[in-house]
Amino acid sequence: MIDLRLLREDPDRARASQRARGEDVDLVDAVLSADERRRSSSVRFDELRAEQKQLGKRIPKAEGEEKAELLRRTGELASAVKAADAEKDEAAAETQQLLHRLSNLVHPDVPVGGEEDFTVLETIGTPRDFAAEGFEPKDHLELGQRLGAIDVERGAKVSGSRFYFLTGVGALLELALVNAAVAQATEAGFTPMLTPALVKPQAMDGTGFLGQAAQDVYHLEKDDMYLVGTSEVPLAGYHMDEIIEADRLPLRYAAFSPCFRREAGSYGKDTRGIFRVHQFDKVEMFSYVDPEDSQAEHRRLLEWEKQWLSSLELPFQVIDVASGDLGSSAARKYDCEAWIPTQGKYRELTSTSDCTEFQARRLSIRMRDGKQVKPLATLNGTLCAVPRTIVALLENHQQADGSVWVPPVLRPYLGGREALEPVAK
């Protein structure tokens, strides 16, 4: 949620942000109008209450016609105060409702445009030249089936499309990735976490996932609970309604959790294999920091993501995501996209978002610095989204004989294996 005071002082910035996102610019003026009604009705209520109190003091001393007039006026005031109070509450509720619909303010350095208007910040590693090596690369599904690692047919039989089983070495590969990722995060000072997969509406709404992303969220109507699409949600809710002492910051958590996404708008996209699925596991980084340190923390999260992908020896690029492709909570987002040989392009593997004070205001998470209490900033960053990472690993590290080379960082978690060998021809 945006700071209402900032909105009053610089509405043009909010209008420009909404325009850059491709969202409703008029919503800014609707919020300001409701806020003006709230403030004027609050002033009116205070004036009427003050008069009511003054009359209350005069009535016991008055007599005759004066007392009768005071009593008549007191009756009028009682109705007027009640009406002003109702008007104040109604305007306040409308202001909050409209304010909740506004997305976070876009950072001024974010490239403006849609999904394809990102800026490439750097490219790390070089895609392999399979033609020079003398063979045509296979896609991750064919490789996974030959390794006895991926079973999408039975996944569809049991649960429907976009579900899968990881079997044999595939299951071991996931566990290796998760353990290696958590080890890196722990070494960097993150507190490891296992989080709930079901959350209350307050947590889901507070992180901004019941706005533009609502179509991708699974809702259990009978229980009024939500399945999380990322552990960002329970990690953000972990400290909701709390005040954190400034000397405890930054707080950094790394959570392993299942993630559930309806992928409602992805009909026909990435239907083969396990790149885009309804359920997957992920290791997510989450930081609580002083707002003044949020941009620096954002770069730190990106560096940890780059460290992870480099340790897997994957070629990738880092992009500054364009304004129209940002989530509602993010002021800025960096993606790391790995090269996928059989697609001939880079695809997103990790993201990190600076949500500034947006989520903290919605979840009532504050920091105390001396006598000052103020909202803090929250940031999130994917360390390892397992299925997409498996896709990139299999395709980039495949060998001509159908085996897959194992990066050294994963070998301690795979019994020392240097390669994954086919079990089926």
Side-chain angles (χ1 to χ4, degrees), residues 14 29 37 48 83 104 125 136-137 141 150 155 167-168 175 205 227 295 313 316 320 323 340 358 396 418:
D29 294 303
R37 290 197 303 275
L48 290 171
N104 200 358
E136 182 84 13
L141 182 56
I150 301 172
T167 58
L175 294 173
D205 183 51
L227 282 168
Q295 291 185 50
E313 302 191 32
F316 66 97
D320 198 348
S323 55
I340 307 299
F358 187 83
N396 281 285
E418 296 183 6

Side-chain angles (χ1 to χ4, degrees), residues 221-285:
E221 294 185 12
K222 185 176 180 180
D223 305 286
D224 195 20
M225 299 278 280
Y226 291 89
L227 282 168
V228 300
T230 166
S231 59
E232 171 191 344
V233 178
L235 288 174
Y238 189 64
H239 287 295
M240 65 182 176
D241 300 320
E242 294 182 19
I243 297 175
I244 299 170
E245 298 298 331
D247 60 8
R248 292 184 60 199
L249 299 176
L251 289 174
R252 297 188 179 111
Y253 302 108
F256 169 69
S257 75
C259 306
F260 304 87
R261 300 183 184 180
R262 295 182 63 241
E263 295 290 354
S266 65
Y267 180 79
K269 295 181 181 178
D270 300 307
T271 54
R272 179 174 168 82
I274 63 171
F275 191 86
R276 190 183 300 273
V277 291
H278 289 309
Q279 178 184 341
F280 62 96
D281 295 325
K282 180 157 68 98
V283 177
E284 180 82 0
M285 301 178 290

Side-chain angles (χ1 to χ4, degrees), residues 9 20 24 38 48 127 191 209 217 308 331 340 362 391:
E9 294 173 352
D24 185 5
R38 178 191 65 81
L48 290 171
T191 300
F209 285 96
V217 175
W308 169 245
I340 307 299
R362 294 165 71 105
V391 169

Side-chain angles (χ1 to χ4, degrees), residues 144-209:
Q145 290 171 335
R146 292 189 177 197
L147 294 169
I150 301 172
D151 192 333
V152 293
E153 288 80 7
R154 290 186 177 90
K157 178 178 70 174
V158 171
S159 302
S161 63
R162 299 192 189 277
F163 286 93
Y164 62 96
F165 284 88
L166 290 181
T167 58
V169 75
L172 295 176
L173 182 56
E174 159 151 350
L175 294 173
L177 284 165
V178 169
N179 277 288
V182 171
Q184 179 191 301
T186 303
E187 185 177 351
F190 286 79
T191 300
M193 302 274 276
L194 296 175
T195 58
L198 283 167
V199 297
K200 298 177 181 178
Q202 181 185 0
M204 188 65 80
D205 183 51
T207 42
F209 285 96

